[in-house]
Amino acid sequence: MTKTKKQNFSKHAKVSPSLNGILGLISFSTRIPINRYITIKEMAGSVILWPYIGLGIGVIGAIVSFILNDVLSFSNILTATLIYCFLIWFTGFNHVDGVMDMGDGLMVHGDPEKRLNVMRDSMVGTGGIASFFIVAITTIASIASLQSIYLIPAIILMELCAKLSMVTSMVFGTSDSKGIGKEIKKGMDYKVLVVNIIISLIIGYLLLDAAGVMAVFASVICGLYLSYLAEKRFGCVTGDILGASNEYGRVVSLIFVILNVMLL
């Protein structure tokens, strides 16, 4: 293990939640306009609260799902499609961009530096389009597969899990030398992550019992795997990897909810 990697594992998070930091994360995570000057340092200090901002996004998504499913009585597939479209729109397409950039980078043959250059390129290639298609269609199919009784709690939980997967991927792996990802990661370490996981497990159990617990664990494993994959293929964990972790964490948590519901 290199010196740089050791520093990443042993670093101490700069945890200092503030109103400005929370508003900054809300502004970054949603289309809600925040007309306020906010620094990256303030946002990094509030990263510990990011999963619960995801929980709030999930509540808004659940309200939309209630209107579509219970009030308008749309079909399962149309409801699922509109919920997913709303969520990626409401979150400003930020994390979808990460999925596509990571997909393009993984398609490249060569050393990590070459893959990084492709991932940072503004052009979208076949790998990016295919990655987004896979994530989108699997997410929509997963939402459509949920029984009505599980729809609202699953929508709430999947957004918490998406953000939990993202903050998990911050902890392990070398920081990128460019972009805001390096600064944002300063607000997270393994101790802070453990606290977030414990709280998320409690929320998951309250929402969906054992299925919720398994969904939370699955999202954490997803974040760990993506950080490992990024370290192996790109040599670091970039902001795009964090965004991809959000999208993959959402769909993985949904799949595990469905699996647990089917088995129990």
Side-chain angles (χ1 to χ4, degrees):
M1 184 178 288
T2 66
K3 183 178 180 181
T4 305
K5 292 180 183 178
K6 285 181 180 178
Q7 289 173 344
N8 273 280
F9 280 99
S10 63
K11 69 176 183 178
H12 296 288
K14 298 177 181 178
V15 180
S16 55
S18 63
L19 178 59
N20 256 17
I22 294 169
L23 291 175
L25 291 177
I26 291 172
S27 177
F28 183 81
S29 303
T30 70
R31 286 184 175 272
I32 298 174
I34 305 292
N35 296 318
R36 193 165 180 159
Y37 177 73
I38 300 165
T39 66
I40 298 297
K41 183 179 180 180
E42 289 172 322
M43 290 173 61
S46 301
V47 161
I48 187 175
L49 301 175
W50 215 338
Y52 317 112
I53 292 173
L55 190 69
I57 295 171
V59 170
I60 295 172
I63 294 171
V64 173
S65 71
F66 175 78
I67 294 171
L68 296 173
N69 189 59
D70 296 274
V71 178
L72 299 177
S73 299
F74 284 174
S75 66
N76 289 351
I77 188 65
L78 181 56
T79 296
T81 303
L82 292 177
I83 289 171
Y84 180 67
C85 289
F86 169 78
L87 286 172
I88 63 172
W89 170 83
F90 184 66
T91 53
F93 303 103
N94 286 334
H95 305 312
V96 171
D97 179 67
V99 171
M100 292 191 289
D101 287 342
M102 183 179 179
D104 280 339
L106 290 174
M107 282 282 291
V108 176
H109 296 285
D111 57 31
E113 186 63 32
K114 183 177 180 181
R115 292 192 177 101
L116 271 176
N117 289 334
V118 171
M119 187 162 62
R120 290 169 177 154
D121 195 304
S122 60
M123 302 295 290
V124 179
T126 304
I129 294 171
S131 296
F132 171 65
F133 176 78
I134 291 169
V135 171
I137 196 169
T138 307
T139 304
I140 291 169
S142 297
I143 296 173
S145 299
L146 291 165
Q147 299 175 31
S148 294
I149 191 174
Y150 299 114
L151 181 60
I152 287 179
I155 296 297
I156 296 173
L157 184 60
M158 74 180 190
E159 292 304 311
L160 169 69
C161 287
K163 293 294 182 287
L164 183 61
S165 177
M166 183 168 66
V167 298
T168 299
S169 64
M170 293 181 183
V171 177
F172 303 98
T174 308
S175 295
D176 188 11
S177 60
K178 300 179 181 179
I180 66 171
K182 178 181 178 180
E183 297 302 317
I184 291 292
K185 286 174 66 175
K186 291 180 179 178
M188 183 61 59
D189 65 13
Y190 73 93
K191 293 179 181 178
V192 177
L193 177 62
V194 168
V195 172
N196 269 318
I197 291 173
I198 292 172
I199 296 173
S200 298
L201 286 170
I202 294 171
I203 294 172
Y205 180 77
L206 292 174
L207 287 171
L208 285 166
D209 296 327
V213 171
M214 291 306 298
V216 170
F217 275 126
S219 66
V220 172
I221 293 170
C222 177
L224 289 173
Y225 174 73
L226 286 178
S227 64
Y228 162 78
L229 182 64
E231 185 73 19
K232 185 177 180 181
R233 298 295 181 89
F234 303 105
C236 61
V237 177
T238 69
D240 284 326
I241 303 301
L242 302 184
S245 297
N246 184 93
E247 299 302 302
Y248 284 111
R250 177 195 290 124
V251 67
V252 167
S253 67
L254 278 174
I255 291 172
F256 271 79
V257 167
I258 293 168
L259 284 173
N260 277 270
V261 167
M262 289 173 60
L263 294 174
L264 295 178

